[in-house]
Amino acid sequence: MTVQQQFSTVRTEICGHSIQELATKFGTPTYVYDAQIIRDRIEQLRQFDVIRFAQKANSNIAILDLMRKNGVLVDAVSAGEVFRAKTAGYEYNGQPDPIVYTADIFDREALELVVDKNLHVNCGSPDMIEQLGQKAPGRSITLRINPGFGHGHSAKTNTGGESSKHGIWHEQLENCVELAAKHELSVTGLHMHIGSGTDFEHLSQVCESMKETARRVGSSITTISAGGGLPTPYRDTDTGLDVDRYYQLWDKTRKELEAEFGHSISLEIEPGRFLVAECGFLITEIRAIKSMGANQFYLVDAGFNNLARPILYGAYHPMSVAFAGDASSETQSVIVGGPLCESGDIFTQEEGGFVCSRELPGAAVGDHLIIECAGAYGYVMSSNYNSKPFAAEVLVDGSQLHLIRRRQSPSDLIAGESIPG
Ligand code: LLP
């Protein structure tokens, strides 16, 4: 069933906690995550045998801990993400694999780690198979396949097709299976993540490709992973994902393969955004309001150092105002920008950098502006550009508020630097 989302442009609270209280207690900018929304999203995916969280979307160890306590396994794309998962209580090994390392390369640190800890690897290049095979023959691996086509909310998030660097090119499958056999690596699973923002016509194509690829590998296949890319609503006009329909398509694919191979096949899903996008609110304070000719600007204390999706992809995030003083019932068309010394530091922009405006309540300096649906690829893509500290992160769980990362201090900004001599 799909549900139409409604975003309001006025907000007073998050999960019963007033914005004013949150801002006073933690300062701004602060990311606030609502734990219940994450739990609700997890429940929606329970039909899958394994829900594996793509932690690149939000890797705070408190979020990973919440995932783990709710039976969600984890994907890691770097040695750093493996370290986070372990710190959040995931074991290195188990059945099914608690942590899977998925990438297109091993840097030296990651190769050493997966060999040492016997981590399961999902290989995205022939070189990964070769390098793992040399150091750890005899293991099981899965292959991430680029089926030759892809999909994405922007050209930068499309992960399939000839222009993508991701995965093993479908025509090289047999060579890779041979390469694995040379090192006695058995190929036990296939993985296809072909972009963020899936539609059903496209998904049927992916399922067909998965079946065809699995047949070419043969009955050693015991897991298939649908990857991530499940859409999540960012606008009033976006409908939520029809999870049942999504599951049915993949389940049918799995069942056909089970019938052909004569054994059971585990069906995995690997979402990032779907699990965490909607739980996240970036609370900012409006620090200046100014007009430039016909344009009116709200300048807030968060910039693309805190949330890079608008400047990178022209991504749209719902926004709301929390009045600190008197509420206004008027709205106005405004451009929302940040504090950085760079003209592109605008939250209301389209792909290609075209600045646009948004109809928002008439606000005053000191009111808060909340950038919503910011729980995925928000904090994790932050930078210290302009020597701005990373924001604080807060997890709200019902009546409980937990500071899960403190705001950086000035000395954090220069930690590790030194002056020669
Ligand atoms: N699995 C693999 C192998 C992936 O590469 C990705 C995302 C996912 C799962 C999770 O995809 P999701 O369910 O979150 O769409 N920074 C961009 C998104 C980049 C996605 C990269 N890979 C954004 O902010 O939209």
Side-chain angles (χ1 to χ4, degrees), residues 52-57 75 77 102-104 122 144 153-154 156-157 159 166 191-197 225-231 234 270-276 308-309 312-313 315 317 376-378 380-381:
R52 190 174 294 288
F53 177 46
Q55 66 167 291
K56 71 201 84 180
D75 167 69
V77 299
T102 295
D104 297 295
N122 183 26
R144 176 178 180 180
H153 68 73
S154 105
K156 290 180 192 142
T157 58
T159 55
H166 294 298
H191 173 283
M192 272 181 198
H193 170 88
I194 34 65
S196 297
S225 172
L230 285 74
Y234 286 103
E270 195 179 78
R273 185 188 320 272
F274 182 84
L275 292 174
V276 292
R309 301 191 72 251
L312 279 179
Y313 320 116
H317 283 266
Y377 308 106
V380 286
M381 292 173 75

Side-chain angles (χ1 to χ4, degrees), residues 393-412:
E393 291 183 291
V394 171
L395 184 66
V396 181
D397 201 352
S399 61
Q400 308 269 311
L401 290 175
H402 306 280
L403 178 64
I404 57 171
R405 174 152 27 194
R406 63 167 173 77
R407 184 179 312 288
Q408 278 187 321
S409 65
S411 52
D412 289 331

Side-chain angles (χ1 to χ4, degrees), residues 312-333:
L312 279 179
Y313 320 116
Y316 180 100
H317 283 266
M319 291 178 195
S320 54
V321 168
F323 297 106
D326 293 341
S328 152
S329 55
E330 306 282 303
T331 64
Q332 52 185 347
S333 190

Side-chain angles (χ1 to χ4, degrees), residues 205-221:
Q205 242 186 312
V206 181
C207 290
E208 279 310 309
S209 182
M210 177 63 93
K211 265 187 291 188
E212 192 249 338
T213 312
R215 286 181 189 126
R216 282 161 61 198
V217 178
S219 65
S220 64
I221 297 297

Side-chain angles (χ1 to χ4, degrees), residues 143-251:
L143 301 183
R144 176 178 180 180
I145 304 297
N146 176 342
F149 55 87
H151 200 269
H153 68 73
S154 105
K156 290 180 192 142
T157 58
N158 186 340
T159 55
E162 275 184 38
S163 311
S164 164
K165 66 175 178 147
H166 294 298
I168 288 169
W169 186 242
H170 59 111
E171 289 169 348
Q172 291 169 10
L173 178 69
E174 280 75 13
N175 294 345
C176 287
V177 172
E178 266 175 45
L179 182 59
K182 185 181 106 185
H183 294 292
E184 292 161 26
L185 297 172
S186 62
V187 178
T188 56
L190 292 174
H191 173 283
M192 272 181 198
H193 170 88
I194 34 65
S196 297
T198 310
D199 66 50
F200 283 100
E201 200 182 313
H202 175 66
L203 189 62
S204 314
Q205 242 186 312
V206 181
C207 290
E208 279 310 309
S209 182
M210 177 63 93
K211 265 187 291 188
E212 192 249 338
T213 312
R215 286 181 189 126
R216 282 161 61 198
V217 178
S219 65
S220 64
I221 297 297
T222 56
T223 64
I224 57 171
S225 172
L230 285 74
T232 187
Y234 286 103
R235 297 173 188 259
D236 281 341
T237 47
D238 291 344
T239 45
L241 174 69
D242 185 342
V243 177
D244 284 336
R245 197 170 154 205
Y246 189 94
Y247 174 77
Q248 295 308 333
L249 270 170
W250 276 109
D251 188 43

